[in-house]
């Protein structure tokens, strides 16, 4: 009876405490949600006026190497080489403030983040045939370090596993070996497939153009390989180049019936069903077709790529945008060069140029220098 009485007396208190706890939790969630919305709104406002209030990078020509990409919505990373050290600097395009992100005594070649921008690969080179890969978090703190004898490196992050990437090490005679790096386990193993250039289609599958190394080719078959099952199959013929994004395999294919023209083809990476295509003229570079620079805005399912102007004598290009959902194709910029391009996280801007030293406003069709 006393136990029952105690329970009856305490039950209202427990119920009240439970209600208060639930109310406080909801209030906390609401404050967090409002704070998140406030931060997103501030970032949106800042990003909307980015080109109007841009503060350029002020760097001497002999120390500035290149911009490497977006750090977040309104900040970029760039490499600065000094006499006694090399630095990666985070530059805020609105305030003009520079912050040291990473430094080393060795010349830095490149900085490449994974798809989520949670880990940054920093490639430095103490000597001609030696390479160092340092992996750091968003604070510039080292997570993993790997050294290898190599004349040149090619690296590709796995977009389906933020802790994994493949690295191809080239010797001076262009012989190569490919490695699989697991940053979580901090280990490096030989890749099951020794292929120098490829794209991920999921966590364990890659696609690659199977070129004949014994003789020059204008195009070649596109294959998909399963890294776990050691199995490969052909996807398409007469392919010039391949690039994949978020469950989509994209390739530029030579048209065998219409000389000088090709098409971009988009297929579902699982079913291999064709989702969309669009026709383009092709540009050649000496004895081969050019696979133009491109980038993909996954949020809006839009491909940005440089398309040669048909019958142009000066080799000029147009920057075109193709929407995979609406199938709409539009020209954003005319009479531009085929140079590297990186779309901003919002999809409103793009870094552009040989050293990514310019910024494009993809809505207002403006291009502005960001290095002074």
């Amino acid at each position: 009876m006393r136990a029952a009485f105690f329970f009856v007396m305490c039950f209202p208190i427990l119920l009240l405490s439970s209600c208060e706890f639930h109310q406080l939790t909801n209030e906390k969630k609401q404050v967090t949600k409002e704070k998140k919305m406030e931060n997103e709104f501030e970032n949106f406002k800042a990003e909307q006026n980015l080109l109007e209030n841009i503060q350029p990078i002020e760097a001497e020509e002999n120390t500035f190497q290149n911009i490497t990409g977006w750090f977040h919505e309104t900040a970029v990373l760039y490499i600065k080489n000094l006499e006694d050290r090399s630095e990666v600097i985070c530059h805020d395009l609105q305030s003009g403030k520079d912050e040291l992100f990473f430094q080393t005594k060795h010349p830095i070649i490149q900085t490449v983040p994974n798809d989520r921008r949670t880990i940054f690969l920093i490639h430095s080179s103490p000597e001609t045939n030696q390479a160092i890969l340092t992996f750091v978090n968003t604070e510039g703190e080292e997570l993993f370090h790997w050294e290898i004898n190599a004349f040149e490196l090619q690296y590709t992050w796995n977009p389906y596993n933020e802790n994994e990437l493949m690295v191809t090490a080239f010797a001076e005679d262009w012989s190569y070996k490919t490695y699989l790096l697991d940053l979580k386990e901090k280990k490096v193993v030989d890749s099951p497939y020794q292929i120098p250039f490829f794209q991920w289609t999921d966590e364990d599958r890659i696609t690659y153009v199977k070129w004949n190394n014994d003789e020059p080719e204008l195009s070649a078959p596109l294959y998909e390989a399963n890294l776990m099952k050691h199995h490969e199959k052909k996807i398409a013929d007469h392919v010039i180049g391949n690039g994949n994004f978020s469950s989509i395999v994209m390739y530029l294919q030579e048209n065998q019936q219409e000389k000088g023209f090709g098409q971009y083809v988009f297929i579902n990476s699982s079913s291999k069903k064709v989702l969309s295509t669009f026709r383009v003229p092709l540009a050649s570079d000496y004895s081969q077709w050019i696979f133009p620079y491109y980038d993909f805005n996954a949020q809006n399912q839009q491909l940005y790529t440089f398309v040669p102007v048909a019958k142009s004598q000066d080799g000029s290009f147009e920057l075109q945008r193709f929407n995979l959902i609406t199938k709409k194709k539009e020209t954003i910029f005319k009479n531009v060069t085929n140079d590297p391009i990186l779309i901003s996280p919002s999809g409103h801007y793009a870094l552009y140029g040989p050293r990514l030293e310019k910024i494009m406003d993809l809505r207002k069709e403006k291009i502005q220098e960001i290095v002074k």
Side-chain angles (χ1 to χ4, degrees):
M1 285 292 295
R2 292 183 62 185
F5 176 78
F6 178 79
F7 175 78
V8 170
M9 290 296 294
C10 287
F11 179 73
I13 298 173
L14 292 171
L15 183 61
L16 180 62
S17 300
S18 175
C19 291
E20 288 176 345
F21 176 76
H22 184 68
Q23 182 180 355
L24 287 170
T25 302
N26 284 342
E27 287 176 357
K28 185 176 180 181
K29 285 182 179 178
Q30 183 64 26
V31 169
T32 303
K33 184 178 179 181
E34 289 175 358
K35 185 66 177 176
K36 183 180 179 182
M37 291 176 65
E38 182 182 330
N39 290 337
E40 287 178 351
F41 181 66
E42 290 301 319
N43 289 336
F44 173 76
K45 285 196 302 181
E47 188 269 335
Q48 287 292 305
N49 300 319
L50 184 58
L51 246 63
E52 297 176 12
N53 304 302
I54 198 166
Q55 299 298 316
I57 294 170
E58 295 186 10
E60 296 179 8
E61 179 61 30
N62 63 337
T63 63
F64 172 79
Q65 180 172 306
N66 62 282
I67 294 173
T68 64
W70 297 94
F71 184 66
H72 58 67
E73 203 61 62
T74 59
V76 297
L77 294 177
Y78 73 92
I79 298 172
K80 187 176 179 181
N81 287 317
L82 304 170
E83 288 185 6
D84 60 340
R85 66 189 184 280
S86 192
E87 299 175 340
V88 178
I89 306 293
C90 182
H91 177 81
D92 191 294
L93 293 168
Q94 287 203 306
S95 68
K97 184 179 179 182
D98 278 353
E99 288 188 2
L100 179 65
F101 181 68
F102 180 84
Q103 71 175 3
T104 175
K105 62 182 180 180
H106 307 303
I108 295 174
I109 308 300
Q110 187 59 284
T111 301
V112 182
N114 63 12
D115 277 34
R116 298 181 184 178
R117 293 185 179 85
T118 55
I119 303 175
F120 293 78
L121 175 161
I122 298 173
H123 173 192
S124 58
S125 179
E127 298 177 6
T128 303
N129 287 298
Q130 188 178 4
I132 299 174
L133 293 185
T134 307
F135 298 89
V136 301
N137 60 18
T138 54
E139 303 299 319
E141 300 165 338
E142 184 175 319
L143 303 173
F144 185 60
H145 179 96
W146 184 53
E147 298 186 23
I148 185 171
N149 293 326
F151 178 72
E152 191 78 41
L153 290 182
Q154 166 74 22
Y155 19 77
T156 308
W157 283 99
N158 186 342
Y160 305 94
N161 183 342
E162 63 180 350
N163 292 293
E164 187 176 73
L165 74 159
M166 281 231 253
V167 176
T168 303
F170 293 91
E172 285 192 72
D173 62 359
W174 296 111
S175 60
Y176 61 85
K177 188 170 182 179
T178 304
Y179 302 89
L180 185 62
L181 277 67
D182 186 331
L183 305 182
K184 188 175 182 180
E185 299 296 329
K186 294 182 169 52
K187 66 179 183 180
V188 180
V189 298
D190 291 353
S191 168
Y193 275 84
Q194 290 298 310
I195 302 162
F197 305 104
F198 56 87
Q199 296 282 315
W200 297 90
T201 55
D202 67 19
E203 193 166 343
D204 300 316
R205 290 181 297 156
I206 59 173
T207 55
Y208 62 96
V209 182
K210 187 178 279 190
W211 296 99
N212 186 341
N213 296 324
D214 297 327
E215 57 183 61
E217 296 177 291
L218 291 174
S219 59
L222 178 68
Y223 277 78
E224 181 181 65
N226 188 307
L227 299 178
M228 302 299 291
K229 297 180 180 179
H230 299 265
H231 171 74
E232 66 177 16
K233 61 181 178 180
K234 186 168 69 173
I235 294 177
D237 286 309
H238 309 297
V239 173
I240 298 166
N242 164 228
N244 302 340
F245 354 81
S246 60
S247 303
I248 295 172
V249 175
M250 179 273 286
Y251 54 90
L252 177 59
Q253 187 176 47
E254 182 184 18
N255 192 325
Q256 298 298 291
Q257 283 72 46
E258 189 177 14
K259 187 177 179 181
F261 282 84
Q263 62 178 352
Y264 282 94
V265 182
F266 302 86
I267 65 174
N268 181 283
S269 62
S270 298
S271 67
K272 304 300 183 292
K273 179 183 177 182
V274 175
L275 303 173
S276 189
T277 65
F278 76 90
R279 174 179 173 271
V280 292
L282 300 176
S284 62
D285 181 12
Y286 303 106
S287 61
Q288 61 185 12
W289 294 122
I290 294 173
F291 184 39
Y293 288 104
Y294 66 90
D295 199 9
F296 190 74
N297 179 0
Q299 184 177 350
N300 297 324
Q301 296 289 287
Q302 294 171 333
L303 173 76
Y304 288 83
T305 187
F306 294 96
V307 176
V309 178
K311 299 180 181 179
S312 171
Q313 300 299 314
D314 61 357
S316 61
F317 285 76
E318 296 177 345
L319 178 63
Q320 293 189 0
R321 175 170 58 208
F322 181 74
N323 191 307
L324 271 69
I325 300 172
T326 64
K327 309 297 188 290
K328 181 182 178 182
K329 181 177 68 174
E330 53 188 324
T331 298
I332 310 300
F333 291 96
K334 295 182 178 180
N335 299 317
V336 291
T337 53
N338 175 37
D339 285 321
I341 182 171
L342 285 178
I343 307 300
S344 69
S346 69
H348 294 156
Y349 299 97
L351 295 173
Y352 166 68
R355 300 194 289 176
L356 296 176
E357 72 281 9
K358 302 173 186 178
I359 187 169
M360 290 176 160
D361 188 326
L362 300 172
R363 299 163 301 172
K364 299 179 182 179
E365 301 180 17
K366 291 181 180 179
I367 302 177
Q368 184 174 330
E369 295 280 346
I370 54 174
V371 179
K372 199 170 183 179

